[in-house]
């Protein structure tokens, strides 16, 4: 048996209805049966997800089901990373899917150019597969030559979705000594959202061979019933704290990198940090927990924080106006109270 070229990692939690399309798209990428594996980690689903994976795997031996008690998406991904054998790894969320036949092309580009990281474009679609308007498609870029991660970040906003990256597994396992990650990279299991951005900031700052491919390879499905839309106040509060903690991780990685290499190319990384803080504050206003979120940001040493801007693909005066209001805590709290009264 030859070397496995690619490991797909698919965390699953109660996504039975989406699995057939997701897994079907993965096995339709033009790779030989002995060139890839699909590690599906069922994170304690209470629906028929595990049975659906087993049924699919019975016809596709490249697919393997791994079961664990519910621990969250980060633990599921980490579990699969510990068992992955491919030269490259590709993360796929179980409610999303890949465009048919494109990963073979991207994989062989990564191999030919000895890339540590290859980024690619994506499409944002609804559950029926209908594309979102162009204005909501996110940042899309043309193909680039090979460069360092820092040089890439100097000209591109930092994309905080790990499914947009094809990553060399040896590079991922080796980590980076100067960033304090010399035992390899793993997802922070304490984060329930924004775990991707916290990890991506670290490996992109360390990468020496990065390129972007203009192919739209991934279909991101917008779901109104996803965890990101959970209205429970306690869940919202935990999400906002997680956003702040991720921003703190990004900030620490930036400062470690600056101490080694200076500030060149870090604007887009700082932009993502600021986006996480900005929208944690915004959501704290609408959910009525300004005091708790502001205290969490202050404890992380990140208040006051800069305004989001062009480095994170945000333009216009409205962001500066909102940021100015955020930098006056009493006014921001008052606006939150007014908002809560109007909701009633």
């Amino acid at each position: 048996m030859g070397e496995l070229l690619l490991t797909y990692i698919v965390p699953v939690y109660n996504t039975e209805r989406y699995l057939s399309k997701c897994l079907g798209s993965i096995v339709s990428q033009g790779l030989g049966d002995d060139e890839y594996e699909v590690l599906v980690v069922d994170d304690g689903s209470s629906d028929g997800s595990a049975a659906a994976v087993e049924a699919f795997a019975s016809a596709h031996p490249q697919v393997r089901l791994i079961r664990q008690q519910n621990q969250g998406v980060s633990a599921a991904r980490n579990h699969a990373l510990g068992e992955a054998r491919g030269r490259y790894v590709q993360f796929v969320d179980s409610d999303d899917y890949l465009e048919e036949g494109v990963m073979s092309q991207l994989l062989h580009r990564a191999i030919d150019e000895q890339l540590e990281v290859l980024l690619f474009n994506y499409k944002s679609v609804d559950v029926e597969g209908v594309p979102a308007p162009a204005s909501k498609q996110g940042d899309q870029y043309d193909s680039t030559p090979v460069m360092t991660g820092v040089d890439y970040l100097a000209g591109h906003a930092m994309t905080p979705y790990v499914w947009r990256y094809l990553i060399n597994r040896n590079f991922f396992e080796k980590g980076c000594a100067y960033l304090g990650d010399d035992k390899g990279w793993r997802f922070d299991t304490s984060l329930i959202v924004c775990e991707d951005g916290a990890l991506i900031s670290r490996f992109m700052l360390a990468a020496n061979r990065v390129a972007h491919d203009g192919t739209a390879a991934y279909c991101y499905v917008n779901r109104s019933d996803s965890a990101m839309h959970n209205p429970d106040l306690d869940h919202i509060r935990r999400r906002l704290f997680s956003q702040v903690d991720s921003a703190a991780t990004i900030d620490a990685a930036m400062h470690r990198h600056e101490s080694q290499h200076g500030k060149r190319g870090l604007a887009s990384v700082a932009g993502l940090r600021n986006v996480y803080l900005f929208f944690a504050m915004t959501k704290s206003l609408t959910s009525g927990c300004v005091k708790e979120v502001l205290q969490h940001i202050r404890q992380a040493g990140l208040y006051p924080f800069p305004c989001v801007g062009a480095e994170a693909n945000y333009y216009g005066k409205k962001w500066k106006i909102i940021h100015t209001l955020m930098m006056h805590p009493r006014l921001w709290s008052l606006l939150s109270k007014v908002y809560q009264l109007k909701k009633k």
Side-chain angles (χ1 to χ4, degrees):
M1 181 177 177
E3 177 192 13
L4 280 176
L5 300 180
L6 179 59
T7 296
Y8 293 99
I9 293 177
V10 186
V12 170
Y13 181 72
N14 290 346
T15 51
E16 178 184 3
R17 64 175 290 200
Y18 304 99
L19 283 170
S20 177
K21 188 166 189 176
C22 175
L23 296 177
S25 74
I26 289 175
V27 301
S28 302
Q29 291 302 309
L31 295 170
D33 291 350
D34 61 347
E35 292 183 312
Y36 72 99
E37 64 179 351
V38 187
L39 302 183
V40 183
V41 184
D42 180 62
D43 186 40
S45 294
S46 57
D47 66 356
S49 291
V53 175
E54 287 181 328
F56 191 92
S58 66
H60 300 278
Q62 307 92 337
V63 178
R64 179 157 66 96
L65 175 64
I66 301 170
R67 296 174 183 263
Q68 67 176 33
Q69 293 183 343
N70 180 244
Q71 301 172 58
V73 65
S74 292
R77 288 170 172 166
N78 289 345
H79 191 158
L81 281 168
E83 301 198 23
R85 297 177 295 142
R87 189 187 304 185
Y88 285 83
V89 294
Q90 164 65 38
F91 296 94
V92 182
D93 287 350
S94 59
D95 49 357
D96 298 335
Y97 56 94
L98 303 175
E99 287 283 16
E100 186 174 352
V102 296
M103 288 309 300
S104 175
Q105 164 195 330
L106 297 180
L107 174 64
H108 286 101
R109 179 185 176 187
I111 292 171
D112 291 344
E113 298 182 9
Q114 300 178 29
L115 298 177
E116 292 167 330
V117 180
L118 177 64
L119 294 95
F120 44 82
N121 290 340
Y122 69 98
K123 297 177 182 177
S124 183
V125 301
D126 65 17
V127 292
E128 303 300 328
V130 177
S135 61
K136 296 185 178 181
Q137 285 296 335
D139 50 300
Q140 309 292 328
Y141 299 114
D142 295 332
S143 295
T144 71
V146 180
M147 61 187 75
T148 67
V150 171
D151 285 340
Y152 178 85
L153 292 171
H156 302 79
M158 198 179 87
T159 304
Y161 311 119
V162 76
W163 41 255
R164 199 175 180 175
Y165 297 74
L166 185 63
I167 309 166
N168 181 283
R169 188 168 62 86
N170 184 55
F171 163 71
F172 205 77
E173 293 295 339
K174 185 170 60 177
C176 180
Y178 79 75
L179 288 178
D181 300 319
D182 54 326
K183 295 183 180 179
W185 286 292
R186 289 295 185 268
F187 293 89
D188 185 342
T189 56
S190 72
L191 302 177
I192 65 168
V193 295
C194 302
E195 69 285 343
D196 290 15
L199 181 61
I200 292 165
S201 64
R202 304 202 317 260
F203 71 69
M204 283 296 288
L205 288 172
N208 290 314
R209 295 189 64 81
V210 173
H212 191 105
D213 195 288
T215 303
Y218 194 96
C219 293
Y220 169 72
V221 178
N222 286 289
R223 290 171 49 203
S224 60
D225 62 338
S226 71
M228 293 298 292
H229 296 92
N230 189 328
D232 178 72
L233 183 58
D234 182 61
H235 182 80
I236 290 172
R237 191 178 289 109
R238 289 173 57 222
R239 275 173 38 201
L240 300 185
F241 285 1
S242 184
Q243 279 185 254
V244 174
D245 292 341
S246 182
T249 297
I250 294 170
D251 187 72
M254 281 176 48
H255 288 305
R256 285 194 295 266
H257 184 273
E258 288 170 4
S259 70
Q260 294 285 331
H261 298 286
K263 299 183 179 181
R264 179 172 172 263
L266 296 182
S268 64
V269 185
L272 182 62
R273 176 201 61 194
N274 299 341
V275 165
Y276 284 169
L277 295 171
F278 191 95
F279 285 101
M281 284 287 285
T282 301
K283 188 65 176 178
S284 75
L285 183 149
T286 59
S287 59
C289 52
V290 168
K291 183 180 292 186
E292 299 100 308
V293 171
L294 183 57
Q295 181 181 13
H296 203 68
I297 295 174
R298 281 178 163 150
Q299 287 174 342
L302 296 176
Y303 190 91
F305 54 88
C307 185
V308 294
E311 76 284 348
N313 282 347
Y314 286 86
Y315 303 88
K317 292 182 179 179
K318 71 174 183 178
W319 304 109
K320 293 181 180 179
I321 293 172
I322 296 172
H323 177 262
T324 299
L325 296 174
M326 287 178 177
M327 295 302 102
H328 293 81
R330 291 182 179 177
L331 180 56
W332 197 246
S333 295
L334 177 61
L335 290 173
S336 179
K337 291 177 181 177
V338 172
Y339 180 89
Q340 300 306 315
L341 287 173
K342 284 191 173 183
K343 272 204 317 184
K344 295 179 180 179

